[in-house]
Amino acid sequence: MSGRELVVTNLDKPFWPADGLTKGDLIAYYVSVAPYLLPYLKGRPVVLTRYPHGFGDKWFYQKDAPDGLPDWIPTWPDGAGDGRVIRYMRLEEPAALAYVANLGTIELHPWLSSCGTPDQPDWAVIDLDPAEGATFDDVLVIARLVRRILDELGVAGYPKLSGATGIHIFCRAQPGTTYAETAEFCELIGRLLLQAYPEKVTLERSVSRRKGKVYVDYLQNRRGQTITSVYGVRPLPGAPVSAPVTWAEVEGQPPRFTMKTLPARLSAVGDLFAPMLNAPQDLRGALARLRRWVPAKRS
């Protein structure tokens, strides 16, 4: 682990007791997938979701770096709305992943922008989140519609399973793109989906008004918002992982992956998100086309 010496503790502690998975298994998983995971964390503020006693027990979010943080884990300061300065962690190497997993971190939530350009997201994310009464099959139908819209726009989208019940579709943005632009890009796609399939699509912010539908959450595209990292573990039964899938798989029933099965998937197909890293796209041009396609909101 980059030559680091790191003390890890309670490796036999049950973290998913029903699945026979321990804290040591969690640490080992994050170290093993580090070559695939770190490109999506490096240079970004990361928020942790910590479960000190494992899945199913008490948990909390952690934005500020903990006391005793090793000096080889860099931080990035950012002002909070209440005047505080938050020191976000930057996870840059396998040992850093082992360190936070040893704290009981199950979920990793990176920003959509980097510390160097915090107001300029590197990708827009179309978050398809089924409400109560909607099914994963509903999510798949809507994801396929998203693909058709993106194809018409000439924009490449990269789908990943959320690891829970939804799908996240990432669209790489060129440098200089703003959060206002990525949010509008995703909102207008959501409005097209709503026009095409009002029976199953919603943009309602009120949870109680989403029942039976799939929420297109364009509001994730804001400064400081985070989304579950690609290859990140979810605090759910079986230790599922948020993993990329191909569009061909989305056209059928995409395979689900867990902390146990994801390494074999990576060995078989590699990192399906990798092409996105070095392929920025003109989302502004696509946004201009969307504005022509979607009627203006009534005031």
Side-chain angles (χ1 to χ4, degrees):
M1 291 191 293
S2 305
R4 306 290 186 193
E5 290 189 3
L6 183 66
V7 176
V8 291
T9 58
N10 300 318
L11 298 181
D12 294 329
K13 188 173 191 175
F15 256 49
W16 283 268
D19 301 291
L21 294 170
T22 65
K23 180 180 170 184
D25 293 322
L26 178 68
I27 296 170
Y29 168 80
Y30 273 126
V31 172
S32 72
V33 301
Y36 301 95
L37 170 59
L38 285 174
Y40 306 97
L41 301 180
K42 283 184 176 180
R44 298 179 189 280
V46 178
V47 178
L48 313 178
T49 309
R50 290 177 57 184
Y51 288 73
H53 302 293
F55 160 65
D57 210 303
K58 293 180 180 179
W59 61 276
F60 60 95
Y61 288 115
Q62 179 150 14
K63 293 184 177 182
D64 222 341
D67 293 339
L69 185 74
D71 58 10
W72 46 266
I73 297 181
T75 60
W76 177 72
D78 188 51
D82 59 4
R84 294 179 301 117
V85 174
I86 298 173
R87 291 189 312 129
Y88 288 93
M89 281 172 280
R90 292 168 48 188
L91 306 180
E92 311 274 323
E93 57 182 280
L97 294 174
Y99 173 82
V100 297
N102 188 56
L103 295 178
T105 299
I106 292 179
E107 287 185 302
L108 302 169
H109 299 270
W111 279 31
L112 304 181
S113 52
S114 68
C115 300
T117 53
D119 299 309
Q120 298 175 18
D122 294 299
W123 29 70
V125 179
I126 303 160
D127 181 0
L128 305 179
D129 183 15
E132 181 185 354
T135 67
F136 187 64
D137 283 341
D138 294 329
V139 176
L140 289 172
V141 170
I142 294 163
R144 294 164 194 155
L145 292 175
V146 172
R147 184 190 186 187
R148 294 191 182 100
I149 294 169
L150 294 177
D151 285 348
E152 286 293 320
L153 292 168
V155 171
Y158 296 81
K160 76 176 177 74
L161 305 184
S162 70
T165 56
I167 290 179
H168 305 147
I169 300 167
F170 280 55
C171 301
R172 183 76 161 90
Q174 65 184 9
T177 305
T178 67
Y179 274 109
E181 290 167 330
T182 57
E184 186 182 1
F185 174 82
C186 295
E187 180 186 4
L188 293 183
I189 287 175
R191 287 170 61 189
L192 281 176
L193 294 167
L194 182 60
Q195 289 176 30
Y197 198 14
E199 300 84 2
K200 283 295 180 181
V201 173
T202 182
L203 275 71
E204 286 285 354
R205 297 182 68 177
S206 172
V207 174
S208 64
R209 299 176 68 180
R210 300 178 192 165
K211 191 170 183 179
K213 298 186 178 183
V214 175
Y215 177 51
V216 182
D217 188 0
Y218 62 89
L219 294 173
Q220 292 284 8
N221 296 276
R222 293 183 294 175
R223 188 186 193 276
Q225 292 293 105
T226 64
I227 202 157
T228 298
S229 178
V230 62
Y231 306 122
V233 185
R234 304 304 305 272
L236 294 167
V241 172
S242 184
V245 289
T246 67
W247 280 117
E249 289 170 331
V250 171
E251 290 295 331
Q253 280 291 332
R256 310 291 187 98
F257 301 99
T258 69
M259 203 166 74
K260 289 181 178 178
T261 63
L262 196 276
R265 165 73 164 187
L266 290 172
S267 296
V269 303
D271 179 13
L272 295 176
F273 262 30
M276 178 178 67
L277 290 173
N278 298 310
Q281 304 173 96
D282 179 17
L283 296 190
R284 282 179 178 155
L287 178 56
R289 292 185 68 188
L290 283 168
R291 287 170 177 159
R292 294 194 294 271
W293 294 353
V294 182
K297 281 183 177 178
R298 294 180 181 179
S299 58

